[in-house]
Amino acid sequence: MVHASSIALGILCGPLVCVYVTFAACFCPSRLRQSGESDEKKRFERRQKMAPRPLVLHRQRALSIPLPDTECMNEGRKTLDQSQSRLMRLPLELREMIYRNVLGDNTLHMILKEQKLGHLRCKASNALECPLRYNGRTLGRESCWGPVDSANIWAPKSGINEPTDGNIIPFLRTCRQVYSEAINFLYSTNVFSFQDLDCLRHFSATVLPKRFNLVKKLDIEWYMTWPIYDPTAQQLLLNNPALYPPYDEATWEETWRIIANLPSLKFLRVSLLYYDGFQDPACEKKILAPLYKVTQAPVFEVRVSWDGREITGAPFRLIRPVPNDPTADDDSW
């Protein structure tokens, strides 16, 4: 009798087990490796180790011009008179035009480095012409971003010594007066481009709030990892946690809280890629819900890689793929 019950149970449960194994093997093969640490955990631990340290707010900046009542506290620093400089003899309006030409009106691709951030000037004439590619885990513009390792940390090939400051930092370090007069143009006139949510979060934590609040233009590209906002599928993965940052719901929502608090934001473009379309519109609704908090940007565009219904009442313009578009490239989405 017991033997017969076991056979019957096997007949009933066998197909379910096969479906689960097949589904996991197709869409998430790494989840089937239960022995040892998962690749996701290793990548998360490396990213934590390499994360930039948050800015110390109550520290006098080395490039800041000391105030008169703090000169005695900064005896180790000297601010020299720059009246002999031809640049400083120009009217402030002309100097500001020069600063903007040197520092601004570019797209800066923000990258994660070892315990710090870097930025690369986009090599295209504008952000729309920068080629978009998917490298297997994240969205990337290889022609501008350069190579990254499995943890999305910038990793140039042997023999390549490409600077990651966009050739901007040396100019700002020429003298304190140039820094004080020019630094605002760096944040207020450039498009800051991100392909990693942690990179944006670190950026907000490693610059002065008054500088970060000057940012007017953001361009974000992000690969949505399965099964975000799908608790049933997360339980099937048998991992704890099911999703590691920055691919989890908490990081996604925190990113949009940061963006929603940018007072000067004028332009925001978001490109989201998912390995497949959403069968359940409720999942899409949860993913897009944090974006509704961003109401200050006059231009707010969200491009997604999946089909679905039109939405109304959103503070952004949702752009879905055009079906059977003969002008679309094979790699476009």
Side-chain angles (χ1 to χ4, degrees), residues 13-14 23 36 43 56 63 83 96 104 111 130 132 137 141 159 162 176 181-182 185 199 205 215 233 238 253 328:
C13 297
F23 182 80
R43 280 190 286 267
V56 179
L63 289 174
S83 59
E96 289 180 341
I111 57 175
C130 189
L132 179 65
R137 281 198 59 82
R141 288 167 169 158
E162 184 177 0
R176 294 195 184 99
E181 293 179 352
F185 291 98
C199 190
V215 172
L238 304 178
E253 294 171 6

CSV table of all heavy atoms in Angstrom, one decimal, residues 13-14 23 36 43 56 63 83 96 104 111 130 132 137 141 159 162 176 181-182 185 199 205 215 233 238 253 328:
chain,number,residue,atom,x,y,z
A,13,CYS,N,3.6,14.5,-8.7
A,13,CYS,CA,4.6,15.6,-8.5
A,13,CYS,C,5.7,15.7,-9.6
A,13,CYS,O,6.3,16.7,-9.8
A,13,CYS,CB,5.3,15.4,-7.1
A,13,CYS,SG,4.1,15.5,-5.8
A,14,GLY,N,5.9,14.6,-10.3
A,14,GLY,CA,7.0,14.5,-11.3
A,14,GLY,C,6.9,15.6,-12.3
A,14,GLY,O,7.8,16.3,-12.6
A,23,PHE,N,12.1,25.5,-16.3
A,23,PHE,CA,11.9,27.0,-16.2
A,23,PHE,C,13.2,27.6,-15.6
A,23,PHE,O,13.7,28.6,-16.2
A,23,PHE,CB,10.7,27.3,-15.4
A,23,PHE,CG,10.4,28.8,-15.2
A,23,PHE,CD1,9.8,29.4,-16.2
A,23,PHE,CD2,10.9,29.5,-14.1
A,23,PHE,CE1,9.5,30.8,-16.2
A,23,PHE,CE2,10.6,30.8,-14.0
A,23,PHE,CZ,9.9,31.5,-15.0
A,36,GLY,N,27.9,25.8,-2.3
A,36,GLY,CA,28.8,27.0,-2.2
A,36,GLY,C,28.1,28.3,-2.4
A,36,GLY,O,26.8,28.4,-2.5
A,43,ARG,N,29.4,38.7,-6.3
A,43,ARG,CA,29.4,40.0,-7.0
A,43,ARG,C,28.9,41.0,-6.0
A,43,ARG,O,29.5,42.1,-5.9
A,43,ARG,CB,28.4,40.0,-8.2
A,43,ARG,CG,29.1,39.4,-9.4
A,43,ARG,CD,28.2,39.6,-10.7
A,43,ARG,NE,27.0,38.8,-10.6
A,43,ARG,CZ,26.9,37.6,-11.2
A,43,ARG,NH1,28.0,37.1,-11.9
A,43,ARG,NH2,25.8,36.9,-11.2
A,56,VAL,N,32.2,63.2,3.9
A,56,VAL,CA,32.1,63.8,5.3
A,56,VAL,C,31.7,65.2,5.1
A,56,VAL,O,32.4,66.1,4.5
A,56,VAL,CB,33.5,63.7,6.0
A,56,VAL,CG1,33.4,64.4,7.3
A,56,VAL,CG2,33.9,62.3,6.1
A,63,LEU,N,39.8,72.6,-1.8
A,63,LEU,CA,39.7,73.6,-2.9
A,63,LEU,C,38.8,74.8,-2.6
A,63,LEU,O,38.7,75.7,-3.4
A,63,LEU,CB,39.2,72.9,-4.2
A,63,LEU,CG,40.2,71.9,-4.8
A,63,LEU,CD1,39.6,71.2,-6.0
A,63,LEU,CD2,41.5,72.7,-5.3
A,83,SER,N,45.3,88.2,-9.4
A,83,SER,CA,45.1,89.4,-10.2
A,83,SER,C,46.0,89.5,-11.4
A,83,SER,O,45.7,90.1,-12.4
A,83,SER,CB,45.2,90.6,-9.4
A,83,SER,OG,46.5,90.8,-8.8
A,96,GLU,N,32.8,82.9,-17.0
A,96,GLU,CA,31.8,81.9,-16.9
A,96,GLU,C,31.5,81.2,-18.2
A,96,GLU,O,31.2,80.0,-18.3
A,96,GLU,CB,30.5,82.5,-16.3
A,96,GLU,CG,30.6,82.8,-14.8
A,96,GLU,CD,29.3,83.4,-14.2
A,96,GLU,OE1,28.5,83.9,-15.0
A,96,GLU,OE2,29.2,83.4,-13.0
A,104,GLY,N,31.1,72.0,-19.2
A,104,GLY,CA,29.7,71.7,-19.4
A,104,GLY,C,29.2,71.2,-20.7
A,104,GLY,O,30.0,71.0,-21.7
A,111,ILE,N,30.9,55.8,-13.9
A,111,ILE,CA,31.3,54.5,-13.7
A,111,ILE,C,31.7,54.2,-12.3
A,111,ILE,O,32.2,55.1,-11.6
A,111,ILE,CB,32.4,54.1,-14.7
A,111,ILE,CG1,33.6,55.1,-14.5
A,111,ILE,CG2,31.9,54.2,-16.1
A,111,ILE,CD1,34.8,54.8,-15.3
A,130,CYS,N,24.8,57.7,-28.9
A,130,CYS,CA,25.7,56.8,-28.3
A,130,CYS,C,25.1,55.4,-28.4
A,130,CYS,O,24.0,55.2,-27.9
A,130,CYS,CB,25.8,57.2,-26.8
A,130,CYS,SG,27.1,56.3,-25.9
A,132,LEU,N,23.8,51.8,-27.9
A,132,LEU,CA,23.3,51.0,-26.7
A,132,LEU,C,23.5,49.5,-27.0
A,132,LEU,O,23.1,49.0,-28.0
A,132,LEU,CB,21.9,51.4,-26.5
A,132,LEU,CG,21.2,50.7,-25.3
A,132,LEU,CD1,21.8,51.1,-24.0
A,132,LEU,CD2,19.7,51.0,-25.3
A,137,ARG,N,24.7,41.1,-18.8
A,137,ARG,CA,24.1,41.3,-17.4
A,137,ARG,C,23.6,42.7,-17.3
A,137,ARG,O,22.6,42.9,-16.6
A,137,ARG,CB,25.2,41.1,-16.4
A,137,ARG,CG,25.5,39.7,-16.1
A,137,ARG,CD,26.3,39.6,-14.7
A,137,ARG,NE,25.5,40.2,-13.6
A,137,ARG,CZ,24.5,39.6,-13.0
A,137,ARG,NH1,24.2,38.3,-13.3
A,137,ARG,NH2,23.9,40.2,-12.0
A,141,ARG,N,27.2,51.0,-23.0
A,141,ARG,CA,27.6,51.7,-24.2
A,141,ARG,C,29.1,51.5,-24.3
A,141,ARG,O,29.9,52.3,-23.9
A,141,ARG,CB,27.3,53.1,-24.2
A,141,ARG,CG,25.8,53.4,-24.4
A,141,ARG,CD,25.4,54.8,-24.0
A,141,ARG,NE,24.0,55.0,-24.5
A,141,ARG,CZ,23.2,56.0,-23.9
A,141,ARG,NH1,23.7,56.8,-23.0
A,141,ARG,NH2,22.0,56.2,-24.3
A,159,GLY,N,47.2,47.4,-20.7
A,159,GLY,CA,47.9,48.3,-21.6
A,159,GLY,C,47.1,49.5,-21.9
A,159,GLY,O,47.6,50.5,-22.5
A,162,GLU,N,43.3,54.7,-19.8
A,162,GLU,CA,42.3,55.8,-20.1
A,162,GLU,C,41.9,56.5,-18.8
A,162,GLU,O,41.5,55.9,-17.9
A,162,GLU,CB,41.1,55.2,-20.8
A,162,GLU,CG,40.1,56.3,-21.2
A,162,GLU,CD,38.9,55.7,-22.0
A,162,GLU,OE1,38.9,54.5,-22.2
A,162,GLU,OE2,38.1,56.5,-22.4
A,176,ARG,N,42.0,77.8,-6.4
A,176,ARG,CA,40.7,77.8,-5.7
A,176,ARG,C,39.7,78.8,-6.3
A,176,ARG,O,38.5,78.5,-6.2
A,176,ARG,CB,41.0,78.2,-4.2
A,176,ARG,CG,41.8,77.1,-3.5
A,176,ARG,CD,41.7,77.4,-1.9
A,176,ARG,NE,42.5,76.4,-1.3
A,176,ARG,CZ,43.8,76.7,-0.8
A,176,ARG,NH1,44.3,77.9,-1.0
A,176,ARG,NH2,44.5,75.8,-0.2
A,181,GLU,N,34.4,79.5,-8.8
A,181,GLU,CA,33.6,80.1,-9.8
A,181,GLU,C,33.1,79.1,-10.9
A,181,GLU,O,32.0,79.3,-11.5
A,181,GLU,CB,34.4,81.1,-10.6
A,181,GLU,CG,34.8,82.3,-9.7
A,181,GLU,CD,35.7,83.3,-10.5
A,181,GLU,OE1,36.1,83.0,-11.7
A,181,GLU,OE2,35.9,84.5,-10.0
A,182,ALA,N,33.7,77.9,-11.0
A,182,ALA,CA,33.4,77.0,-12.1
A,182,ALA,C,32.7,75.8,-11.7
A,182,ALA,O,32.0,75.2,-12.6
A,182,ALA,CB,34.7,76.6,-12.9
A,185,PHE,N,29.0,74.8,-12.8
A,185,PHE,CA,28.7,74.4,-14.2
A,185,PHE,C,28.9,72.9,-14.5
A,185,PHE,O,28.2,72.4,-15.3
A,185,PHE,CB,29.7,75.2,-15.1
A,185,PHE,CG,29.4,76.7,-15.2
A,185,PHE,CD1,30.1,77.6,-14.4
A,185,PHE,CD2,28.3,77.2,-16.0
A,185,PHE,CE1,29.8,78.9,-14.4
A,185,PHE,CE2,28.0,78.5,-16.0
A,185,PHE,CZ,28.8,79.4,-15.2
A,199,CYS,N,25.7,53.2,-8.6
A,199,CYS,CA,26.5,54.3,-9.1
A,199,CYS,C,25.8,55.6,-8.8
A,199,CYS,O,26.4,56.6,-8.3
A,199,CYS,CB,26.9,54.1,-10.5
A,199,CYS,SG,28.1,55.3,-11.1
A,205,ALA,N,25.8,60.4,-2.6
A,205,ALA,CA,26.4,60.3,-1.2
A,205,ALA,C,27.8,60.8,-1.2
A,205,ALA,O,28.4,61.0,-0.1
A,205,ALA,CB,26.3,58.9,-0.7
A,215,VAL,N,22.0,69.3,-10.2
A,215,VAL,CA,21.9,68.4,-11.4
A,215,VAL,C,20.5,68.6,-12.0
A,215,VAL,O,19.5,68.6,-11.4
A,215,VAL,CB,22.0,66.9,-10.9
A,215,VAL,CG1,21.7,66.0,-12.1
A,215,VAL,CG2,23.5,66.7,-10.4
A,233,ALA,N,7.6,33.8,-7.7
A,233,ALA,CA,8.8,33.3,-8.4
A,233,ALA,C,10.0,33.4,-7.5
A,233,ALA,O,10.9,32.5,-7.6
A,233,ALA,CB,9.1,34.2,-9.7
A,238,LEU,N,14.5,29.6,-4.0
A,238,LEU,CA,15.1,28.9,-2.8
A,238,LEU,C,16.4,29.6,-2.4
A,238,LEU,O,17.2,29.0,-1.7
A,238,LEU,CB,15.4,27.5,-3.1
A,238,LEU,CG,14.2,26.6,-3.6
A,238,LEU,CD1,14.6,25.2,-3.9
A,238,LEU,CD2,13.1,26.6,-2.5
A,253,GLU,N,13.6,51.3,-5.3
A,253,GLU,CA,12.8,52.3,-4.7
A,253,GLU,C,13.6,53.4,-4.1
A,253,GLU,O,13.2,54.6,-4.2
A,253,GLU,CB,11.8,51.7,-3.6
A,253,GLU,CG,10.8,50.7,-4.3
A,253,GLU,CD,10.1,49.9,-3.2
A,253,GLU,OE1,10.3,50.2,-2.0
A,253,GLU,OE2,9.3,49.0,-3.6
A,328,ALA,N,13.8,49.5,-37.4
A,328,ALA,CA,14.5,49.1,-36.2
A,328,ALA,C,15.6,48.2,-36.5
A,328,ALA,O,15.5,47.3,-37.3
A,328,ALA,CB,13.5,48.5,-35.2
